[in-house]
Amino acid sequence: MLDKITRETIEGTKSAKDFTIKKWKKFIRKRALKRVEKLMAYAQKKPEDYTKEEMRKLIEKEEKEVISTLTATVGIGVVLTMLGIPKL
């Protein structure tokens, strides 16, 4: 009985982790696509002006930027919370 509960708990944890990872990847991808669209608008170019490989590189670069921005934002939030400063 305990083995079954333990196994189900482990499986539940894995599925929750997978779900969370998928959601964050989707969020990051959407944010990166918005940023790429904005960059293309500034450059006055259309998606057709880029090859698939160039678009992939642009999106990959923006995904890294989104991740670094999120990391910095979350890091600052944690430090402020630890110091007892409420969100600004």
Side-chain angles (χ1 to χ4, degrees):
M1 179 80 168
L2 182 64
D3 185 45
K4 181 181 177 186
I5 294 171
T6 305
R7 201 171 336 120
E8 288 176 4
T9 304
I10 291 171
E11 290 300 319
T13 304
K14 285 181 183 178
S15 66
K17 178 183 172 186
D18 292 341
F19 176 76
T20 305
I21 289 171
K22 285 180 186 178
K23 285 292 187 181
W24 275 105
K25 282 184 178 183
K26 190 175 183 179
F27 173 80
I28 292 168
R29 176 58 61 110
K30 281 184 178 182
R31 184 75 57 98
L33 287 172
K34 286 180 184 178
R35 290 175 73 158
V36 167
E37 288 173 358
K38 186 189 283 187
L39 289 173
M40 286 191 298
Y42 287 146
Q44 296 180 350
K45 292 193 175 190
K46 298 178 183 176
E48 298 85 33
D49 296 340
Y50 296 97
T51 64
K52 284 185 179 183
E53 191 60 35
E54 289 173 331
M55 284 297 285
R56 285 186 182 124
K57 287 181 182 179
L58 284 172
I59 293 169
E60 183 178 330
K61 178 183 172 199
E62 288 303 318
E63 283 178 345
K64 289 178 183 177
E65 288 291 323
V66 169
I67 290 170
S68 68
T69 302
L70 285 172
T71 304
T73 304
V74 171
I76 291 169
V78 169
V79 170
L80 290 176
T81 303
M82 287 174 54
L83 295 173
I85 302 171
K87 287 189 175 183
L88 304 175

